[in-house]
Structures are given as C-alpha cells and as structure tokens.
Amino acid sequence: MGTVTAIDGVRVFTGDGLTEPRRVYLDGAEIGTGRTPDVVVDGRGRVLLPGLVDAHMHTVRGREDLQDLATWGVTTGLDMAAWPSAFVTAMRGQTGVAQILSATTPAVGPGGNHARMPGFPADGVVTGPREARAFVDRRVAEGADYIKIVTEAAPPEGMDQETVDAIVAAAHGHGLLVVAHAVTTGAVHVAVAAGVDISTHAPLDAVLDDATVQRMRDAGTVCSPTLTMMRGVADLRAAAGLRYEHARDSVTALHAAGVRLLVGTDANSAPGAPFAPRHGESMHDELGLMVDAGLTPVEALRSATGLTAQIFGLDDRGVVEPGRRADLLLVDGDPTEDIGATRAIAGVWIAGERVR
C-alpha cells in the first residue's frame, strides 16, 4: 500500500466552483477516503484542482517535455503528432512526469507544410480516399489513442473532401475520435463537413461565420483553439494578413453559441514549426487568453480539467473524487476569481507522487 497524504483545510474545485475548506486524502496513486495519513500538507488559503490536461501538445524532446508539463501542474498531455511509434511507446511509459496520450502520425496532404517537415513519416501522406482505411489501420496497430488529420481548404496543399471524409469514417469505425488541425476558415469548413469530433486551432484569416458556428454547435463539434499558438503565429505573420483578433473573436462566437471549448496550447519544439509555446507554462497563458475571449475563470478551469477528460474518455481523472487518479494541482489564491492564480503553484502530484 502506498503513502497516504492528507491535504488539510483546502477548498476543492468541483467543475462548478469551490467547496468549503476540507481534508483531501491521497491514498497511493488514487484519491482516498480516510486512512491515517503519513504526510499532512497545509491547504489553508489554497485551492486544490485536478491536474491540468493540455488538450493539444507535442512530445519532441522526450521526457524533458513531460517534466516541464508536470512542473507547471499539467499532469496529462494529449499529444497531437509524434513519431516513431517506439518513441511514443517509451514516452507513454514514463513515471513521475506528465502522462501522455498520442495520435502518433497524423494524416496530411502531399503538398502541405507538414509533409515537408524534416523527418515526417511517408506513411502519413494520404493522397486519396482509397488510402484512408490503411492509414487508420496503421495508426490503430501502433496504438494511437485518437486520429489526427491536417485539413486545408483545398488541394494541392491538403487532402480533398472525399479523402478527409473517408479517414473520419474509418476512424469512427474503430471507435476513435478524430481531431482536425484547421488553421483557416476554409480548413474548418472541410473538417466540419467531414464530421470530425474536435477542430483544433482558431482561424487567423477571418472570424468564423455564424453558419459554421451553428453547424459546429448542432453537430456537437468540439474546438480547442490554441490561442497561445495563434497569437504567436499572428505576431510573426501579420504581413500576410493573419490577425490574432480573428481567432479570439471566433472563440467568443463559439462560446456564445454553446460550442464546447478545450484548453490546449500546441506546445512544441519541433523543427519547422511556426511558433513554439513552452510546455507547461503556456497552459497558464492559454487559460488567461480563454478568459479574455469570454469564458469565465470557472469555465476555463473546467475546460482544462474535467471537460477534456470527459471528451477523451479519461474516466480516471479530471475531478477530485475518491477512486480517481491522484493527479492534483495545489495553488495559492482563488483561480475561480483570478485565473492568474493558477501560476501560484504550491504543489503538484501525479498518481499520488509529489513532483513539485
């Protein structure tokens, strides 16, 4: 049996607000119910959150990326493209750092930027609908947790609509979620028409139109806008007409319409990437940008914890309840009132092990 830790006098984030001060037990790797503690932590004046879940990041440097996530209270990272499969498997098996899930290799069109990235796997390039099932079968064989597609407005850069449709159908046939990289309004249209589950990034070329927003709401499409990444790209490419305000205002419109939003950063250190948000630290930037775009602090925190866990089927985490993983973030202050308080980290636990 593992070490029992008690956090005393702490208010707990429930997904809707905070509890009154109480004691929380960490019993080994899980949240417990009350064995005599070996360690007592003073939680007075502090708030206990489920460990944050970054809904969009990339593991490039290996364990160092996962350590950086953990240092900043991000206990789960949803990797949206990593290879080769042996590397992904090794990163899934790391302990004492953030746990990852992964899409492994994404599907890309033959003429886009991703296909030209150094070392991009040839089997990720999909040139037509007849290749869709084989692509998905390869990802399933290497243990992909979900399928990632890079959509573009039209060939030759991206896959045509029929190909994207076929990949989505094949993935859904395996019971896997499909996440689409869609950085322009045209790419979002392709993704939504194909029935992807999650559209990641918010467009920089224009604000999403009302019809697309309503279609996403009606279809239950989820959005992870990665505002930190979009702000960084817009700053570098303003001369091309890309505007961060378009991404922010799209999030405002999606939120007003009731589209579910997830907190993801696109943290990466990949060669050829247009911008590189820092693992872990950028999650706190993203929370602030989501609040600036219209979410309340409570909504942003829920989108960074329980909502992402729910959508990705991570039933063992995302809430502070007995029997769930003891992935926890302890902060000074009240982030439900001031989202910046998530940076005032007083403790991080992963599977019951204190890592900060």
Side-chain angles (χ1 to χ4, degrees):
M1 301 184 74
T3 299
V4 177
T5 299
I7 304 175
D8 267 350
V10 70
R11 291 182 294 168
V12 177
F13 181 67
T14 64
D16 297 312
L18 300 180
T19 67
E20 292 299 314
R22 64 184 181 89
R23 170 176 270 198
V24 174
Y25 291 93
L26 286 62
D27 193 341
E30 296 184 348
I31 298 168
T33 55
R35 288 201 297 129
T36 302
D38 304 296
V39 178
V40 177
V41 176
D42 186 0
R44 290 174 297 176
R46 293 171 168 168
V47 166
L48 189 65
L49 302 157
L52 303 178
V53 182
D54 190 334
H56 187 140
M57 48 75 64
H58 297 276
T59 310
V60 180
R61 297 174 299 167
R63 185 180 170 90
E64 186 177 353
D65 289 339
L66 310 187
Q67 181 63 63
D68 286 348
L69 292 175
T71 297
W72 287 95
V74 180
T75 58
T76 303
L78 302 184
D79 186 290
M80 289 300 162
W83 57 81
S85 59
F87 169 74
V88 176
T89 298
M91 290 305 100
R92 282 198 186 101
Q94 300 293 307
T95 59
V97 292
Q99 184 182 35
I100 67 160
L101 283 73
S102 182
T104 67
T105 301
V108 308
N113 290 332
H114 290 78
R116 296 191 291 269
M117 290 182 71
F120 186 82
D123 74 350
V125 179
V126 182
T127 60
R130 292 183 179 181
E131 300 175 8
R133 183 172 299 279
F135 168 82
V136 173
D137 287 347
R138 288 193 295 270
R139 303 292 76 82
V140 171
E142 64 190 20
D145 297 292
Y146 33 81
I147 298 298
K148 173 78 176 295
I149 302 176
V150 175
T151 58
E152 305 284 357
E157 289 81 8
M159 297 171 284
D160 62 24
Q161 186 71 58
E162 187 179 3
T163 302
V164 177
D165 293 351
I167 296 173
V168 172
H172 286 170
H174 282 282
L176 294 177
L177 294 174
V178 180
V179 182
H181 163 108
V183 298
T184 66
T185 50
V188 173
H189 296 158
V190 171
V192 174
V196 304
D197 302 287
I198 299 146
S199 179
T200 188
H201 308 304
L204 295 171
D205 60 324
V207 179
L208 287 172
D209 61 275
D210 291 344
T212 300
V213 170
Q214 293 306 314
R215 187 172 184 180
M216 293 175 70
R217 184 198 65 183
D218 294 344
T221 310
V222 178
C223 179
S224 176
T226 68
L227 292 176
T228 301
M229 181 64 161
M230 308 323 288
R231 182 177 62 177
V233 172
D235 287 346
L236 292 171
R237 298 186 177 175
L242 303 182
R243 298 287 182 267
Y244 171 70
E245 291 76 16
H246 292 152
R248 180 200 63 203
D249 293 349
S250 291
V251 171
T252 302
L254 291 165
H255 176 249
V259 173
R260 292 173 295 173
L261 299 166
L262 306 183
V263 180
T265 66
D266 205 3
N268 74 89
S269 55
F275 185 68
R278 295 185 177 186
H279 290 80
E281 183 178 6
S282 60
M283 191 69 173
H284 302 272
D285 296 332
E286 190 73 18
L287 285 164
L289 293 176
M290 294 286 271
V291 170
D292 290 343
L295 279 71
T296 67
V298 167
E299 289 171 334
L301 292 170
R302 183 166 59 241
S303 292
T305 56
L307 181 59
T308 301
Q310 175 190 343
I311 287 170
F312 279 87
L314 303 176
D315 298 332
D316 62 343
R317 69 198 73 189
V319 294
V320 184
E321 293 178 351
R324 307 294 182 108
R325 275 177 61 100
D327 290 353
L328 299 167
L329 169 62
L330 182 66
V331 300
D332 289 313
D334 182 357
T336 68
E337 295 292 336
D338 173 14
I339 197 64
T342 60
R343 292 179 176 272
I345 297 174
V348 178
W349 290 261
I350 295 178
E353 177 185 349
R354 189 163 190 172
V355 298
R356 175 172 173 180

